[in-house]
Amino acid sequence: MIHINCEQSQFSLLALYLGCLLILIFQQYAVLASEQPGTINNIFTDRSPQIEAGEELNFGNRHKLSLSDCFSKADNSNKEIALASSNLSIAQAGIIIAKAIPNPTYNMAYGFGPAWRFVIAGNNQQFGWNEEIQIAGRRSKKIGLARANYLQTAFEVEAVRFAVHNRVRRAYAELAMAAAYAKLTQNQGNNFQKLFAIAQKRFDAGKAPGSEVLQAKLNVLQLKTQHNQAQGRLVIDSAQLKFLLGENPHNEEIASIDDISLYNLLSGKSGIVPDPDRGIPPLEQLLPTAWLQRNDLKAAIQQAYVNRKALTLAKTQRIPDPFLGFNYLISTYAPYQLRYFTPQPGAQKVPFQPGYMVTVAEEIPIFNQYQGQVNQAKATWIQQLKQNEQLYSQAAADIVTAYEALVVTIANLRKFQDDLLPAALQAVHLSRRSYALGKTDLATAILAQQQYGGLASSYFDCAVSYQNNWADLEKAVGLPLNL
């Protein structure tokens, strides 16, 4: 029998516990000595020990495109702009058609047989021309309508050009934010990897079960899905940008754009849209500017003018154009017609008998006074006026919506930068330190890490919204952003 004194046993266990605690503290001191609470300027880093920075962001060695380069390339190569511009040639041809004077119509009536050989029948051969005479100012009204249609086409081309520029800005911002998302997943992997290292050291020291190591490793492995999503987003956004630039994507390639720091992208200082510190123009100035600058409004107003010109032209159909004709008549009688014609004394044969004839033909609008065409043109004009009113209301609603969304987004950005993210990052460091010292469990550290990741994701979404809100405001106002 071995008898152990109870007091000696308790003292030995206490000494063993204190010794292990000191060893654990010294083991973790080297890991935690370099960790300092972060600020907004170093919340996100550009590199991760687990995923190399260039793995997702392989832009190649080509010349990097700036936003202005993309605008110029879209102007020259975008297929939508080229298609819309081709309508100008069609409209220009319409002016030439309207200016054209109708060609004269040649007519001839030449007969054969006794009816034209014997003078008693009295039929002559005829040659002549007919010409349509445009009256009631119809030709000048056609020209005015064609010119108005050409100007309306020009406004539509500029509207398409501006819309493509706006989409290029969005696509460029989306690609830049996709690169930022790839970097963000790298940084999240870095933070989870640190937590995994601490759990591994605690397990090696016998202070944590293996389940904590597996749980920490699971958090690291689950970022692989975000890594794949970031890579796919880069390829998709690159393909969209290439399409707008007039290029045909051939494989999974990533467009090369200017390098923009992660902090500048997420803080709205990317150079793609104005900085948040510059402020927003007053809403009272944006509405009048939109009425003067939006090309789609100009095109709609011009379309109403075109429809009014078409109504004026339709009214001229009530006075139809006359057709003026001039004919020359000759006789082809047989020279001698003793049976049916007794010549005067001394006459030898039938004389040649030429003549001239002027004809006038004109439609008489008795049964059809073209009232249907006039009513149709008038209804089309009135419909366009109502559509313009609806477009004005929609433009005003778009401006107010984009303006308010931008104001809210700027306020949220500043809230994330000044309060939420620094507090969440500090909570991550403290929870990780407490877990390393054994004061809290792994679940608390993971919860703090997940809260920080959720706030970082929300901050990223807010930064994306900031880019899109400026693009929405640019589209609503119809004036390019001045960077």
Side-chain angles (χ1 to χ4, degrees), residues 198-349:
I198 294 175
Q200 184 67 47
K201 289 183 180 296
R202 283 177 56 83
F203 173 75
D204 295 339
K207 294 300 180 180
S211 60
E212 290 189 357
V213 178
L214 294 177
Q215 190 174 3
K217 186 177 182 180
L218 179 62
N219 288 329
V220 176
L221 294 178
Q222 70 180 1
L223 288 177
K224 182 61 178 177
T225 58
Q226 297 184 14
H227 166 80
N228 296 336
Q229 184 179 1
Q231 181 71 15
R233 184 171 180 175
L234 282 170
V235 175
I236 293 173
D237 292 339
S238 297
Q240 183 63 28
L241 181 61
K242 286 177 176 293
F243 168 73
L244 292 174
L245 299 184
E247 299 180 7
N248 296 325
H250 300 289
N251 49 37
E252 295 179 335
E253 52 187 357
I254 299 176
S256 180
I257 61 176
D258 284 345
D259 292 328
I260 305 174
S261 69
L262 183 58
Y263 172 75
N264 287 338
L265 274 173
L266 298 183
S267 62
K269 300 178 180 180
S270 59
I272 303 175
V273 295
D275 297 346
D277 298 335
R278 290 180 57 181
I280 313 174
L283 184 60
E284 296 77 12
Q285 297 180 5
L286 296 179
L287 291 173
T289 302
W291 310 148
L292 298 176
Q293 299 295 333
R294 285 190 57 156
N295 288 308
D296 56 343
L297 287 177
K298 295 179 182 178
I301 294 173
Q302 185 64 22
Q303 182 62 53
Y305 181 73
V306 170
N307 293 342
R308 186 65 182 85
K309 287 284 188 179
L311 174 59
T312 303
L313 180 61
K315 290 180 178 180
T316 63
Q317 297 183 55
R318 296 172 176 175
I319 307 177
D321 293 335
F323 289 83
L324 181 63
F326 177 80
N327 296 327
Y328 176 64
L329 290 77
I330 60 174
S331 62
T332 56
Y333 303 134
Y336 300 98
Q337 301 184 22
L338 298 180
R339 182 177 178 181
Y340 302 100
F341 176 72
T342 302
Q344 295 181 3
Q348 298 298 322
K349 62 180 180 179

Side-chain angles (χ1 to χ4, degrees), residues 411-431:
N412 290 340
L413 275 178
R414 291 171 179 169
K415 189 66 176 178
F416 276 112
Q417 296 169 2
D418 298 339
D419 299 328
L420 297 178
L421 286 177
L425 186 60
Q426 186 177 10
V428 168
H429 284 292
L430 291 177
S431 63

Side-chain angles (χ1 to χ4, degrees), residues 56-97:
E56 293 88 6
L57 309 178
N58 183 18
F59 289 136
N61 298 322
R62 299 181 304 162
H63 171 68
K64 294 185 177 181
L65 293 173
S66 64
L67 183 59
S68 59
D69 293 336
C70 292
F71 285 152
S72 300
K73 189 172 180 61
D75 275 337
N76 297 327
S77 305
N78 182 268
K79 295 177 175 58
E80 294 180 45
I81 296 178
L83 179 61
S85 299
S86 64
N87 291 328
L88 289 174
S89 300
I90 299 176
Q92 182 66 39
I95 298 178
I96 299 176
I97 294 173

Side-chain angles (χ1 to χ4, degrees), residues 67-68 71 162 165-166 169 268 270-281 286 289 293 406 466 470-471 473-475 477-483:
L67 183 59
S68 59
F71 285 152
F162 181 82
H165 277 213
N166 183 262
R169 187 187 301 279
S270 59
I272 303 175
V273 295
D275 297 346
D277 298 335
R278 290 180 57 181
I280 313 174
L286 296 179
T289 302
Q293 299 295 333
L406 185 57
Y466 177 75
W470 267 117
L473 188 61
E474 177 188 46
K475 180 181 178 181
V477 176
L479 192 65
L481 296 177
N482 182 12
L483 302 179

